[in-house]
mmCIF file of all heavy atoms in Angstrom:
data_model
loop_
_atom_site.group_PDB
_atom_site.id
_atom_site.type_symbol
_atom_site.label_atom_id
_atom_site.label_comp_id
_atom_site.label_asym_id
_atom_site.label_seq_id
_atom_site.Cartn_x
_atom_site.Cartn_y
_atom_site.Cartn_z
ATOM 1 N N ASN A 1 100.120 98.814 209.634
ATOM 2 C CA ASN A 1 101.388 98.851 210.305
ATOM 3 C C ASN A 1 102.458 99.733 209.640
ATOM 4 O O ASN A 1 103.661 99.597 209.893
ATOM 5 C CB ASN A 1 102.013 97.408 210.499
ATOM 6 C CG ASN A 1 101.122 96.618 211.411
ATOM 7 O OD1 ASN A 1 100.654 97.067 212.447
ATOM 8 N ND2 ASN A 1 100.913 95.386 211.058
ATOM 9 N N MET A 2 101.964 100.724 208.894
ATOM 10 C CA MET A 2 102.878 101.711 208.241
ATOM 11 C C MET A 2 102.430 103.133 208.653
ATOM 12 O O MET A 2 101.247 103.301 208.944
ATOM 13 C CB MET A 2 102.876 101.547 206.694
ATOM 14 C CG MET A 2 103.300 100.239 206.220
ATOM 15 S SD MET A 2 104.960 99.768 206.523
ATOM 16 C CE MET A 2 105.782 100.649 205.294
ATOM 17 N N VAL A 3 103.345 104.096 208.648
ATOM 18 C CA VAL A 3 102.977 105.454 208.960
ATOM 19 C C VAL A 3 101.979 105.949 207.895
ATOM 20 O O VAL A 3 102.217 105.890 206.716
ATOM 21 C CB VAL A 3 104.264 106.366 208.975
ATOM 22 C CG1 VAL A 3 103.837 107.834 209.237
ATOM 23 C CG2 VAL A 3 105.221 105.880 210.065
ATOM 24 N N ALA A 4 100.887 106.480 208.413
ATOM 25 C CA ALA A 4 99.811 107.033 207.554
ATOM 26 C C ALA A 4 100.256 108.441 207.074
ATOM 27 O O ALA A 4 100.976 109.112 207.703
ATOM 28 C CB ALA A 4 98.471 107.070 208.271
ATOM 29 N N ALA A 5 99.698 108.782 205.904
ATOM 30 C CA ALA A 5 100.055 110.156 205.317
ATOM 31 C C ALA A 5 98.752 111.022 205.358
ATOM 32 O O ALA A 5 97.639 110.566 205.255
ATOM 33 C CB ALA A 5 100.479 109.946 203.882
ATOM 34 N N ASN A 6 99.066 112.381 205.409
ATOM 35 C CA ASN A 6 98.005 113.350 205.269
ATOM 36 C C ASN A 6 98.426 114.326 204.134
ATOM 37 O O ASN A 6 99.532 114.232 203.616
ATOM 38 C CB ASN A 6 97.585 114.018 206.608
ATOM 39 C CG ASN A 6 98.667 114.926 207.151
ATOM 40 O OD1 ASN A 6 99.579 115.351 206.471
ATOM 41 N ND2 ASN A 6 98.634 115.133 208.415
ATOM 42 N N ILE A 7 97.564 115.294 203.836
ATOM 43 C CA ILE A 7 97.815 116.190 202.695
ATOM 44 C C ILE A 7 99.035 117.089 202.921
ATOM 45 O O ILE A 7 99.506 117.664 201.976
ATOM 46 C CB ILE A 7 96.573 117.038 202.249
ATOM 47 C CG1 ILE A 7 96.216 117.993 203.393
ATOM 48 C CG2 ILE A 7 95.411 116.083 201.849
ATOM 49 C CD1 ILE A 7 95.169 119.030 202.986
ATOM 50 N N LEU A 8 99.474 117.174 204.125
ATOM 51 C CA LEU A 8 100.655 118.045 204.413
ATOM 52 C C LEU A 8 101.999 117.375 204.147
ATOM 53 O O LEU A 8 103.028 117.966 204.317
ATOM 54 C CB LEU A 8 100.587 118.571 205.852
ATOM 55 C CG LEU A 8 99.320 119.394 206.168
ATOM 56 C CD1 LEU A 8 99.356 119.861 207.632
ATOM 57 C CD2 LEU A 8 99.192 120.608 205.233
ATOM 58 N N ASP A 9 101.993 116.127 203.750
ATOM 59 C CA ASP A 9 103.169 115.382 203.392
ATOM 60 C C ASP A 9 103.542 115.649 202.009
ATOM 61 O O ASP A 9 103.453 114.788 201.103
ATOM 62 C CB ASP A 9 102.939 113.876 203.677
ATOM 63 C CG ASP A 9 102.831 113.532 205.149
ATOM 64 O OD1 ASP A 9 103.520 114.189 205.942
ATOM 65 O OD2 ASP A 9 102.025 112.636 205.534
ATOM 66 N N HIS A 10 103.891 116.902 201.707
ATOM 67 C CA HIS A 10 104.275 117.320 200.327
ATOM 68 C C HIS A 10 105.662 117.942 200.233
ATOM 69 O O HIS A 10 105.996 118.438 199.124
ATOM 70 C CB HIS A 10 103.200 118.317 199.811
ATOM 71 C CG HIS A 10 103.203 119.596 200.498
ATOM 72 N ND1 HIS A 10 103.956 120.716 200.078
ATOM 73 C CD2 HIS A 10 102.611 120.040 201.658
ATOM 74 C CE1 HIS A 10 103.795 121.670 200.928
ATOM 75 N NE2 HIS A 10 102.978 121.329 201.831
ATOM 76 N N VAL A 11 106.437 117.907 201.237
ATOM 77 C CA VAL A 11 107.747 118.613 201.275
ATOM 78 C C VAL A 11 108.743 117.897 200.381
ATOM 79 O O VAL A 11 109.013 116.711 200.518
ATOM 80 C CB VAL A 11 108.251 118.714 202.713
ATOM 81 C CG1 VAL A 11 109.606 119.443 202.743
ATOM 82 C CG2 VAL A 11 107.232 119.411 203.631
ATOM 83 N N PRO A 12 109.296 118.659 199.381
ATOM 84 C CA PRO A 12 110.349 118.048 198.529
ATOM 85 C C PRO A 12 111.509 117.553 199.236
ATOM 86 O O PRO A 12 111.945 118.176 200.223
ATOM 87 C CB PRO A 12 110.699 119.220 197.565
ATOM 88 C CG PRO A 12 109.566 120.198 197.652
ATOM 89 C CD PRO A 12 109.020 120.068 199.061
ATOM 90 N N MET A 13 111.988 116.442 198.810
ATOM 91 C CA MET A 13 113.191 115.815 199.378
ATOM 92 C C MET A 13 113.060 115.342 200.800
ATOM 93 O O MET A 13 114.083 114.818 201.369
ATOM 94 C CB MET A 13 114.456 116.719 199.231
ATOM 95 C CG MET A 13 114.679 117.266 197.834
ATOM 96 S SD MET A 13 114.712 115.996 196.555
ATOM 97 C CE MET A 13 116.430 115.431 196.814
ATOM 98 N N MET A 14 111.856 115.498 201.372
ATOM 99 C CA MET A 14 111.622 114.904 202.690
ATOM 100 C C MET A 14 110.447 113.927 202.543
ATOM 101 O O MET A 14 110.614 112.777 203.027
ATOM 102 C CB MET A 14 111.178 116.057 203.706
ATOM 103 C CG MET A 14 111.023 115.527 205.114
ATOM 104 S SD MET A 14 110.826 116.845 206.319
ATOM 105 C CE MET A 14 109.061 116.895 206.477
ATOM 106 N N ASN A 15 109.310 114.354 201.956
ATOM 107 C CA ASN A 15 108.189 113.485 201.725
ATOM 108 C C ASN A 15 108.115 112.976 200.315
ATOM 109 O O ASN A 15 107.742 111.844 200.029
ATOM 110 C CB ASN A 15 106.843 114.200 202.124
ATOM 111 C CG ASN A 15 106.751 114.780 203.429
ATOM 112 O OD1 ASN A 15 106.577 116.011 203.603
ATOM 113 N ND2 ASN A 15 107.033 113.953 204.460
ATOM 114 N N VAL A 16 108.532 113.847 199.366
ATOM 115 C CA VAL A 16 108.447 113.582 197.934
ATOM 116 C C VAL A 16 109.837 113.526 197.359
ATOM 117 O O VAL A 16 110.527 114.558 197.341
ATOM 118 C CB VAL A 16 107.573 114.617 197.181
ATOM 119 C CG1 VAL A 16 107.516 114.341 195.732
ATOM 120 C CG2 VAL A 16 106.163 114.727 197.817
ATOM 121 N N MET A 17 110.279 112.351 197.064
ATOM 122 C CA MET A 17 111.600 112.141 196.514
ATOM 123 C C MET A 17 111.607 112.329 195.014
ATOM 124 O O MET A 17 110.627 112.350 194.369
ATOM 125 C CB MET A 17 112.072 110.752 196.872
ATOM 126 C CG MET A 17 112.190 110.457 198.368
ATOM 127 S SD MET A 17 113.438 111.544 199.084
ATOM 128 C CE MET A 17 112.616 112.008 200.609
ATOM 129 N N PRO A 18 112.817 112.509 194.418
ATOM 130 C CA PRO A 18 112.904 112.705 192.931
ATOM 131 C C PRO A 18 112.373 111.577 192.131
ATOM 132 O O PRO A 18 112.330 110.435 192.517
ATOM 133 C CB PRO A 18 114.415 112.831 192.709
ATOM 134 C CG PRO A 18 114.954 113.244 194.033
ATOM 135 C CD PRO A 18 114.123 112.567 195.075
ATOM 136 N N PHE A 19 111.955 111.942 190.888
ATOM 137 C CA PHE A 19 111.348 110.996 189.917
ATOM 138 C C PHE A 19 112.394 110.791 188.826
ATOM 139 O O PHE A 19 112.022 110.891 187.630
ATOM 140 C CB PHE A 19 110.048 111.583 189.356
ATOM 141 C CG PHE A 19 109.022 111.706 190.368
ATOM 142 C CD1 PHE A 19 108.833 112.860 191.108
ATOM 143 C CD2 PHE A 19 108.195 110.615 190.682
ATOM 144 C CE1 PHE A 19 107.870 112.979 192.113
ATOM 145 C CE2 PHE A 19 107.220 110.756 191.651
ATOM 146 C CZ PHE A 19 107.019 111.894 192.409
ATOM 147 N N GLY A 20 113.611 110.471 189.157
ATOM 148 C CA GLY A 20 114.638 110.235 188.113
ATOM 149 C C GLY A 20 115.022 111.496 187.372
ATOM 150 O O GLY A 20 115.558 112.439 188.037
ATOM 151 N N MET A 21 114.682 111.579 186.137
ATOM 152 C CA MET A 21 115.004 112.710 185.341
ATOM 153 C C MET A 21 113.802 113.516 185.022
ATOM 154 O O MET A 21 112.682 112.874 184.811
ATOM 155 C CB MET A 21 115.700 112.307 184.021
ATOM 156 C CG MET A 21 116.927 111.492 184.196
ATOM 157 S SD MET A 21 118.251 112.404 184.935
ATOM 158 C CE MET A 21 118.988 113.118 183.455
ATOM 159 N N CYS A 22 113.887 114.826 184.952
ATOM 160 C CA CYS A 22 112.687 115.708 184.662
ATOM 161 C C CYS A 22 112.771 116.069 183.166
ATOM 162 O O CYS A 22 113.791 116.366 182.596
ATOM 163 C CB CYS A 22 112.819 116.961 185.477
ATOM 164 S SG CYS A 22 111.472 118.161 185.185
ATOM 165 N N THR A 23 111.576 116.063 182.473
ATOM 166 C CA THR A 23 111.482 116.441 181.051
ATOM 167 C C THR A 23 110.701 117.721 180.799
ATOM 168 O O THR A 23 110.468 118.064 179.685
ATOM 169 C CB THR A 23 110.749 115.276 180.316
ATOM 170 O OG1 THR A 23 109.460 115.140 180.812
ATOM 171 C CG2 THR A 23 111.508 113.964 180.431
ATOM 172 N N SER A 24 110.436 118.472 181.901
ATOM 173 C CA SER A 24 109.733 119.701 181.715
ATOM 174 C C SER A 24 110.621 120.881 181.332
ATOM 175 O O SER A 24 111.544 121.265 182.048
ATOM 176 C CB SER A 24 108.933 120.074 183.020
ATOM 177 O OG SER A 24 108.362 121.290 182.921
ATOM 178 N N VAL A 25 110.364 121.568 180.187
ATOM 179 C CA VAL A 25 111.073 122.706 179.802
ATOM 180 C C VAL A 25 110.821 123.896 180.686
ATOM 181 O O VAL A 25 111.497 124.923 180.607
ATOM 182 C CB VAL A 25 110.960 123.020 178.334
ATOM 183 C CG1 VAL A 25 111.552 121.951 177.482
ATOM 184 C CG2 VAL A 25 109.562 123.251 177.947
ATOM 185 N N ALA A 26 109.845 123.811 181.597
ATOM 186 C CA ALA A 26 109.563 124.867 182.567
ATOM 187 C C ALA A 26 110.590 124.803 183.669
ATOM 188 O O ALA A 26 110.802 125.790 184.410
ATOM 189 C CB ALA A 26 108.200 124.728 183.115
ATOM 190 N N ASN A 27 111.260 123.678 183.803
ATOM 191 C CA ASN A 27 112.297 123.489 184.768
ATOM 192 C C ASN A 27 113.587 124.172 184.232
ATOM 193 O O ASN A 27 114.049 123.903 183.154
ATOM 194 C CB ASN A 27 112.586 121.995 184.993
ATOM 195 C CG ASN A 27 113.631 121.749 186.028
ATOM 196 O OD1 ASN A 27 114.562 122.555 186.283
ATOM 197 N ND2 ASN A 27 113.520 120.561 186.623
ATOM 198 N N PRO A 28 114.117 125.170 184.969
ATOM 199 C CA PRO A 28 115.280 125.938 184.434
ATOM 200 C C PRO A 28 116.460 125.082 184.041
ATOM 201 O O PRO A 28 117.117 125.378 183.005
ATOM 202 C CB PRO A 28 115.656 126.909 185.542
ATOM 203 C CG PRO A 28 114.419 126.986 186.407
ATOM 204 C CD PRO A 28 113.700 125.692 186.262
ATOM 205 N N THR A 29 116.747 123.909 184.734
ATOM 206 C CA THR A 29 117.900 123.175 184.381
ATOM 207 C C THR A 29 117.597 122.429 183.040
ATOM 208 O O THR A 29 118.480 122.255 182.229
ATOM 209 C CB THR A 29 118.244 122.153 185.488
ATOM 210 O OG1 THR A 29 117.138 121.278 185.805
ATOM 211 C CG2 THR A 29 118.625 122.948 186.780
ATOM 212 N N VAL A 30 116.380 121.982 182.853
ATOM 213 C CA VAL A 30 116.000 121.266 181.568
ATOM 214 C C VAL A 30 116.065 122.271 180.488
ATOM 215 O O VAL A 30 116.588 121.982 179.383
ATOM 216 C CB VAL A 30 114.631 120.654 181.708
ATOM 217 C CG1 VAL A 30 114.180 119.998 180.396
ATOM 218 C CG2 VAL A 30 114.597 119.500 182.832
ATOM 219 N N ALA A 31 115.510 123.486 180.704
ATOM 220 C CA ALA A 31 115.555 124.535 179.680
ATOM 221 C C ALA A 31 116.932 124.823 179.270
ATOM 222 O O ALA A 31 117.284 124.969 178.019
ATOM 223 C CB ALA A 31 114.835 125.752 180.181
ATOM 224 N N ALA A 32 117.842 124.997 180.217
ATOM 225 C CA ALA A 32 119.236 125.357 179.890
ATOM 226 C C ALA A 32 119.938 124.203 179.111
ATOM 227 O O ALA A 32 120.650 124.508 178.162
ATOM 228 C CB ALA A 32 120.041 125.692 181.182
ATOM 229 N N ALA A 33 119.692 122.988 179.545
ATOM 230 C CA ALA A 33 120.387 121.839 178.864
ATOM 231 C C ALA A 33 119.769 121.685 177.457
ATOM 232 O O ALA A 33 120.523 121.350 176.522
ATOM 233 C CB ALA A 33 120.152 120.582 179.691
ATOM 234 N N THR A 34 118.446 121.925 177.329
ATOM 235 C CA THR A 34 117.818 121.835 176.018
ATOM 236 C C THR A 34 118.368 122.917 175.089
ATOM 237 O O THR A 34 118.696 122.636 173.905
ATOM 238 C CB THR A 34 116.307 121.939 176.167
ATOM 239 O OG1 THR A 34 115.882 120.759 176.990
ATOM 240 C CG2 THR A 34 115.556 121.866 174.841
ATOM 241 N N ALA A 35 118.534 124.149 175.604
ATOM 242 C CA ALA A 35 119.088 125.234 174.756
ATOM 243 C C ALA A 35 120.528 124.893 174.377
ATOM 244 O O ALA A 35 120.913 125.139 173.209
ATOM 245 C CB ALA A 35 119.015 126.527 175.541
ATOM 246 N N ALA A 36 121.322 124.365 175.281
ATOM 247 C CA ALA A 36 122.646 124.011 174.974
ATOM 248 C C ALA A 36 122.742 122.871 173.946
ATOM 249 O O ALA A 36 123.789 122.822 173.236
ATOM 250 C CB ALA A 36 123.445 123.608 176.225
ATOM 251 N N ALA A 37 121.653 122.108 173.835
ATOM 252 C CA ALA A 37 121.671 120.957 172.812
ATOM 253 C C ALA A 37 120.963 121.452 171.597
ATOM 254 O O ALA A 37 120.396 120.601 170.857
ATOM 255 C CB ALA A 37 120.994 119.767 173.446
ATOM 256 N N PHE A 38 120.884 122.756 171.327
ATOM 257 C CA PHE A 38 120.258 123.344 170.169
ATOM 258 C C PHE A 38 118.775 122.916 169.976
ATOM 259 O O PHE A 38 118.322 122.648 168.894
ATOM 260 C CB PHE A 38 121.089 122.969 168.878
ATOM 261 C CG PHE A 38 122.495 123.467 168.964
ATOM 262 C CD1 PHE A 38 123.520 122.564 169.218
ATOM 263 C CD2 PHE A 38 122.778 124.822 168.760
ATOM 264 C CE1 PHE A 38 124.835 123.011 169.336
ATOM 265 C CE2 PHE A 38 124.098 125.264 168.851
ATOM 266 C CZ PHE A 38 125.134 124.344 169.135
ATOM 267 N N GLY A 39 118.080 122.899 171.098
ATOM 268 C CA GLY A 39 116.688 122.699 171.058
ATOM 269 C C GLY A 39 116.232 121.207 171.249
ATOM 270 O O GLY A 39 115.032 120.920 171.247
ATOM 271 N N VAL A 40 117.161 120.365 171.325
ATOM 272 C CA VAL A 40 116.769 118.859 171.501
ATOM 273 C C VAL A 40 116.533 118.654 173.033
ATOM 274 O O VAL A 40 117.362 119.006 173.911
ATOM 275 C CB VAL A 40 117.972 117.956 171.073
ATOM 276 C CG1 VAL A 40 117.597 116.514 171.459
ATOM 277 C CG2 VAL A 40 118.239 118.127 169.584
ATOM 278 N N LEU A 41 115.321 118.215 173.349
ATOM 279 C CA LEU A 41 114.950 118.037 174.775
ATOM 280 C C LEU A 41 115.965 117.222 175.445
ATOM 281 O O LEU A 41 116.315 116.132 175.038
ATOM 282 C CB LEU A 41 113.601 117.381 174.923
ATOM 283 C CG LEU A 41 113.080 117.147 176.296
ATOM 284 C CD1 LEU A 41 112.888 118.416 177.053
ATOM 285 C CD2 LEU A 41 111.830 116.285 176.376
ATOM 286 N N THR A 42 116.521 117.778 176.564
ATOM 287 C CA THR A 42 117.551 117.149 177.358
ATOM 288 C C THR A 42 117.149 117.036 178.761
ATOM 289 O O THR A 42 117.185 118.009 179.512
ATOM 290 C CB THR A 42 118.846 117.859 177.209
ATOM 291 O OG1 THR A 42 119.234 118.094 175.825
ATOM 292 C CG2 THR A 42 120.028 117.231 177.908
ATOM 293 N N PRO A 43 116.598 115.867 179.226
ATOM 294 C CA PRO A 43 116.151 115.664 180.581
ATOM 295 C C PRO A 43 117.337 115.922 181.590
ATOM 296 O O PRO A 43 118.488 115.626 181.228
ATOM 297 C CB PRO A 43 115.691 114.233 180.639
ATOM 298 C CG PRO A 43 115.364 113.930 179.258
ATOM 299 C CD PRO A 43 116.374 114.647 178.392
ATOM 300 N N MET A 44 116.991 116.474 182.767
ATOM 301 C CA MET A 44 117.942 116.729 183.774
ATOM 302 C C MET A 44 117.392 116.135 185.073
ATOM 303 O O MET A 44 116.259 115.831 185.159
ATOM 304 C CB MET A 44 118.218 118.231 183.942
ATOM 305 C CG MET A 44 118.866 118.878 182.748
ATOM 306 S SD MET A 44 120.495 118.244 182.448
ATOM 307 C CE MET A 44 121.423 118.904 183.800
#
């Protein structure tokens, strides 16, 4: 009784909602915040 999903349900902010804070330094916002904190990982 729920809407079924297929592999095309991958659209950010429509099908896939945020996971709180991101810890990946590959993410530009995390990298910038980490650099501003003198190398201390800063999730965004």
Side-chain angles (χ1 to χ4, degrees):
N1 293 320
M2 301 296 280
V3 176
N6 67 22
I7 65 167
L8 300 179
D9 290 323
H10 67 92
V11 180
M13 308 306 282
M14 186 170 98
N15 305 121
V16 180
M17 296 299 140
F19 296 92
M21 302 294 273
C22 180
T23 61
S24 173
V25 291
N27 182 332
T29 60
V30 175
T34 299
F38 302 103
V40 176
L41 179 63
T42 306
M44 292 299 288

